[in-house]
Amino acid sequence: MRRIYGSGDGPDGRPPSEGGRGGDSPAAARSLDAAAWSDRLLPTWLRYRAVSVDIEVPAGTSARAEIPFVVTMKNALPVPVSIPTDSLRPWTWYVDGLPEASHVDSVPSEASAIQFDRGERKRFRRRWDGLFRVGDDEWERAPAGEYTIGAGLSVPDAAERGLYSEATVSLAER
């Protein structure tokens, strides 16, 4: 008896539900482009609110030459989120407001985006070597004292949008 539902048989004689289409995965398992989905369905203000930025630094005074820190970014939504950025570097870190502890501008100004999967947490480990860049090939050691290390996404008004975090570290005399 011939099938009357129009499903037909696959090329190998099996019905499509038994692998007759030639693939092992069903056609419905295709993935969606998260950036496109986020850009079309979520307003930018919601995408900004969905992502949080936190920075962790060692407690106490450090006499070490390097200060390690960890930057954590998390998407709180159960859907993918794409955030447009002002730079090819979607995020950067600062020491006392200077990007990557440098008086020399080295952050590109082309637009890009950072993407988070649903509920994704991104962790980045960096370190500040206790130096400030004052020229292309010139660095100065930071004197003893307190310094603010911050990190944030490369978006306008990142601190006001909750996409920036900072912490204070203390350097001791060596």
Side-chain angles (χ1 to χ4, degrees):
M1 184 162 137
R2 188 105 173 120
R3 293 183 191 250
I4 58 174
Y5 298 110
S7 62
D9 290 335
D12 59 358
R14 293 184 293 171
S17 62
E18 294 177 13
R21 290 191 175 165
D24 291 335
S25 63
R30 293 186 187 115
S31 63
L32 296 173
D33 180 10
W37 190 93
S38 175
D39 291 346
R40 286 181 177 87
L41 298 178
L42 296 177
T44 304
W45 66 266
L46 180 59
R47 290 185 261 163
Y48 288 154
R49 290 188 63 135
V51 175
S52 63
V53 177
D54 188 39
I55 188 166
E56 301 169 33
V57 297
T61 303
S62 177
R64 298 179 3 191
E66 295 180 345
I67 307 288
F69 58 94
V70 178
V71 178
T72 305
M73 300 173 196
K74 183 173 183 344
N75 173 15
L77 291 180
V79 295
V81 171
S82 173
I83 296 182
T85 61
D86 291 345
S87 170
L88 292 176
R89 291 185 198 165
W91 72 277
T92 192
W93 58 276
Y94 304 84
V95 177
D96 284 352
L98 297 172
E100 298 180 5
S102 176
H103 290 275
V104 179
D105 186 22
S106 63
V107 179
S109 61
E110 297 177 31
S112 184
I114 185 168
Q115 286 143 13
F116 294 87
D117 201 2
R118 57 186 184 158
E120 181 180 11
R121 179 184 315 246
K122 296 178 187 263
R123 295 187 75 144
F124 303 97
R125 297 181 190 283
R126 297 290 188 267
R127 66 178 183 267
W128 176 47
D129 55 9
L131 301 173
F132 285 104
R133 184 176 178 190
V134 293
D136 287 337
D137 295 331
E138 188 178 349
W139 295 82
E140 286 183 0
R141 177 140 329 270
E146 287 193 347
Y147 295 91
T148 302
I149 297 180
L153 293 180
S154 299
V155 298
D157 303 323
E160 289 82 24
R161 293 182 169 152
L163 300 173
Y164 178 85
S165 181
E166 59 185 31
T168 302
V169 296
S170 296
L171 289 180
E173 277 298 324
R174 290 189 240 177

